[in-house]
Amino acid sequence: MASVLEFTDVSIVREGTPILDHVTWSVADDERWVVLGPNGAGKTSLLQLAGTVGHPTSGSVRVLDEGLGRTDVFELRPRIGFASSALARRFQRDETVLDTVMTAAYSVTGRWNEEYEDLDVRRARRVLAEWHLDHLENRLFGTLSDGEQKRVQIARAVMTDPELLLLDEPAASLDLGAREELLQLLTGYAGEPGAPAIVMVTHHVEEIPVGFTHALLLGNGRVVASGPIAEVVTAATLSDVFGLPLEVTAVDGRFSARAA
Ligand SMILES: Nc1ncnc2c1ncn2[C@@H]1O[C@H](COP(=O)(O)OP(=O)(O)OP(=O)(O)O)[C@@H](O)[C@H]1O
Ligand SMILES: [Mg+2]
C-alpha cells in the first residue's frame, strides 16, 4: 500500500485569511475519498494542491511520493487525472469529443500541432466506450448536454491511466438519471483492478458512489473529521460542520441526508 497524498500541517493563507488551516491528511493507493464541506470550506483549494496546481503557504505536500516544491510538476501532472468545471471551461467548444479526450495525452486543451499516434486514438476510443460516450465521438464538445460534458471531462482525466484521479463536483448540475448513470460508472471504475486512488469533492452525500472508502470533512479550512466513510459521514459530524441538525441514512453503500 503506497502513499499517494501526504499533507502535513498544510495551510494556505490569502489576504491574511486561512483558506486551509493546518491540514494533515493522507491517501493510500487503494483508497477512494470523498471530500465534503460547506461552500468556501477549502475543498477546491485542497484538490488544487493535490493536483500540483498551487503551493501551500506553510506545511508540506507530497504527491505520488514527490515533494511539492522539490520536484518538476510537469513530470508529475501526467500521472494525475483532474476533472473540474474550471478546467472544462478551457476546452474548446468547437472541438470534437474524440479530440477533447485525446489531447489529454499531451496535457493540453485544444488540438494544435501535436502528432497523435494510433495508440492515442485507440486509448481515447476505449475510454469513450467505457464512459458510454462512443456514439458522441464526432460531436462538438460545446453541443453536448451538461451530463455528457461531465462524462467527457472524466473520460479525459482517465485517458492517461493516472495514478491519482481528482474530481471536483463531477455530479453538479446533473439530472437524476445522469447522476445515477455517472455514479454507476464511477463505482465500476473504482472497483476495477488497477484503479487509481480517487479523491472526489461533492456537496451532497447522495452523490457518493458505492465503494468509496474514506471521507474528509472540511469546515473553514480545517479538518473536522477524516477516516473510514462510515465513521465520518454521520449525523453528528455533518450536523456539526453544516451547523444544523441533520439525519443521515446509509443503505447498501449509498447515503442520504436531511434536516432532522
Ligand atoms: N486567490 C484567492 N484569494 C482570496 N481568497 C481566495 C482565493 N482563492 C480562494 N479563496 C477563498 O478561499 C475559500 C475557499 O475556497 P474554495 O474554492 O477552496 O472553497 P470550496 O470549499 O471549494 O467552496 P465551494 O463549495 O463553493 O466550491 C473561499 O472563501 C474563497 O473565497
Ligand atoms: Mg469548490
Side-chain angles (χ1 to χ4, degrees):
M1 190 177 70
S3 170
V4 171
L5 289 174
E6 199 74 57
F7 282 49
T8 310
D9 206 20
V10 169
S11 297
I12 300 178
V13 179
R14 296 264 184 272
E15 289 152 24
T17 307
I19 290 169
L20 288 180
D21 199 357
H22 300 286
V23 169
T24 294
W25 174 52
S26 59
V27 172
D29 60 358
D30 59 347
E31 295 173 350
R32 332 267 175 244
W33 282 75
V34 61
V35 179
L36 292 159
N39 289 126
K43 304 180 296 297
T44 294
S45 306
L46 177 97
L47 215 59
Q48 283 173 336
L49 288 183
T52 75
V53 190
H55 285 280
T57 310
S58 61
S60 102
V61 176
R62 289 185 72 78
V63 181
L64 298 171
D65 242 355
E66 304 282 349
L68 217 62
R70 293 196 186 82
T71 189
D72 180 358
V73 290
F74 293 101
E75 283 183 17
L76 210 42
R77 280 184 197 157
R79 300 169 62 196
I80 303 167
F82 202 131
S84 73
S85 48
L87 183 61
R89 279 195 287 276
R90 306 220 309 261
F91 295 176
Q92 291 176 13
R93 297 182 60 79
D94 59 354
E95 188 158 64
T96 66
V97 166
L98 182 66
D99 280 347
T100 303
V101 170
M102 203 164 60
T103 50
Y106 286 82
S107 302
V108 294
T109 55
R111 209 168 160 168
W112 194 236
N113 281 326
E114 317 84 25
E115 289 289 323
Y116 289 91
E117 297 170 11
D118 286 352
L119 177 69
D120 298 323
V121 179
R122 282 205 305 275
R123 281 168 98 185
R125 290 213 163 106
R126 191 193 71 213
V127 292
L128 286 175
E130 282 166 4
W131 294 85
H132 299 178
L133 292 161
D134 34 347
H135 59 298
L136 297 172
E137 125 175 8
N138 295 313
R139 279 272 295 281
L140 303 184
F141 181 74
T143 68
L144 301 182
S145 76
D146 279 354
E148 292 160 350
Q149 289 194 9
K150 291 282 186 197
R151 292 211 305 278
V152 170
Q153 290 169 37
I154 298 172
R156 185 187 144 90
V158 300
M159 152 86 185
T160 54
D161 289 329
E163 292 158 69
L164 169 63
L165 177 62
L166 305 170
L167 304 171
D168 199 350
E169 297 189 42
S173 85
L174 298 191
D175 72 32
L176 181 59
R179 179 189 83 181
E180 291 302 304
E181 184 177 15
L182 181 68
L183 292 188
Q184 283 176 356
L185 286 167
L186 282 170
T187 294
Y189 179 73
E192 280 172 17
I198 304 177
V199 180
M200 170 180 147
V201 169
T202 179
H203 279 130
H204 302 292
V205 298
E206 290 78 4
E207 294 172 357
I208 302 174
V210 174
F212 271 48
T213 57
H214 289 73
L216 175 71
L217 208 54
L218 283 181
N220 287 321
R222 283 190 213 106
V223 176
V224 175
S226 164
I229 203 158
E231 292 168 25
V232 172
V233 182
T234 66
T237 56
L238 291 183
S239 302
D240 179 20
V241 77
F242 286 98
L244 81 166
L246 292 165
E247 275 173 15
V248 174
T249 53
V251 178
D252 297 335
R254 289 291 299 276
F255 294 87
S256 65
R258 49 177 274 196

